[in-house]
Amino acid sequence: MDLMDLLQGQLSEGLIDQLSSQLGGADKKQTADAASGIMSTMISALAKNAATPEGASALSNALQNDHDGSILDDVMGMLGGSSAPAQSQNNRMMNGAGILKHVLGGKQSGAVDMISQISGLESNKTGSLMTMLAPLVMGALGRTQRQQGLNPNDLAGMLSGTVKSASNQRAEMGLIGKFLDQDGDGSVMDDLAGMGMKILGNFLRK
């Protein structure tokens, strides 16, 4: 099972129901589409960050220290706040905002706008959902690292391979890659229009 399969497997109907409820009764299909886009965006951004030896080492250390994958044992409890992390785990594991700042940096707001446009979910709800799901993505990556005994180079290779494989199967991965490779803060909306927004939207809703 690759990383994207592991993440998609976490998006059970029950979890989507819970997430849409926590977002104030958001449309479940839009929530599911946005969640998929958020995970794809984070994996693409992590792969880009890990493309240098320094970046790969920093990510590996962060996973070893703060993201052991235990969040995957009770995703609904963790995201709902009913299951607190063990005392040995520090708050960085669940700090979605902090994770996003490290992973996406200045591209976070543009990523939110992009995913909102693709999914139809309002931008403020997309941003909240991204904060909720960031610890889940890091947990899945941390668990994969531990189970496969990945060193920083292996980790970088797995991430780039996951993105390459997913790009062949999922249209939005190409859009996300183009967005993350942009220099400066050009309008992502222009790029979305140029890449056929309706086609992408229909693709995601299949």
Side-chain angles (χ1 to χ4, degrees):
M1 177 182 289
D2 74 10
L3 190 58
M4 290 304 298
D5 288 338
L6 176 61
L7 285 168
Q8 291 295 327
Q10 300 297 323
L11 294 177
S12 65
E13 185 175 345
L15 180 61
I16 294 298
D17 287 348
Q18 178 178 319
L19 291 170
S20 62
S21 176
Q22 286 182 235
L23 292 171
D27 180 86
K28 291 175 184 176
K29 186 72 177 78
Q30 291 178 348
T31 301
D33 287 345
S36 179
I38 287 165
M39 290 178 169
S40 297
T41 300
M42 284 200 63
I43 293 301
S44 296
L46 286 163
K48 186 172 174 59
N49 294 349
T52 65
E54 296 82 5
S57 180
L59 175 59
S60 180
N61 288 336
L63 294 174
Q64 289 174 359
N65 293 333
D66 301 319
H67 305 284
D68 61 3
S70 60
I71 188 175
L72 302 184
D73 297 332
D74 183 17
V75 173
M76 293 179 70
M78 287 284 197
L79 295 181
S82 62
S83 176
Q87 290 297 317
S88 61
Q89 297 161 340
N90 60 45
N91 290 331
R92 285 194 291 268
M93 184 177 84
M94 294 298 295
N95 183 6
I99 292 168
L100 292 171
K101 185 176 180 180
H102 283 292
V103 174
L104 291 172
K107 293 185 180 291
Q108 184 175 340
S109 62
V112 168
D113 288 342
M114 173 180 63
I115 294 163
S116 177
Q117 288 287 319
I118 291 173
S119 66
L121 190 67
E122 297 165 36
S123 289
N124 63 327
K125 292 180 179 178
T126 299
S128 297
L129 183 62
M130 186 178 281
T131 303
M132 290 181 208
L133 292 177
L136 180 61
V137 174
M138 295 298 285
L141 189 54
R143 173 165 288 185
T144 302
Q145 181 192 44
R146 280 169 170 74
Q147 289 178 341
Q148 299 184 16
L150 304 178
N151 63 32
N153 286 340
D154 297 333
L155 186 64
M158 183 198 68
L159 282 165
S160 64
T162 297
V163 171
K164 191 174 295 184
S165 173
S167 295
N168 293 332
Q169 301 171 33
R170 303 171 54 172
E172 84 270 22
M173 288 294 283
L175 170 62
I176 290 163
K178 181 179 178 184
F179 165 70
L180 292 172
D181 283 336
Q182 281 181 330
D183 290 319
D185 55 356
S187 172
V188 67
M189 295 308 157
D190 292 342
D191 293 327
L192 287 170
M195 293 190 72
M197 208 53 248
K198 290 182 179 178
I199 295 172
L200 268 177
N202 291 336
F203 176 86
L204 277 172
R205 290 173 177 79
K206 283 183 180 178

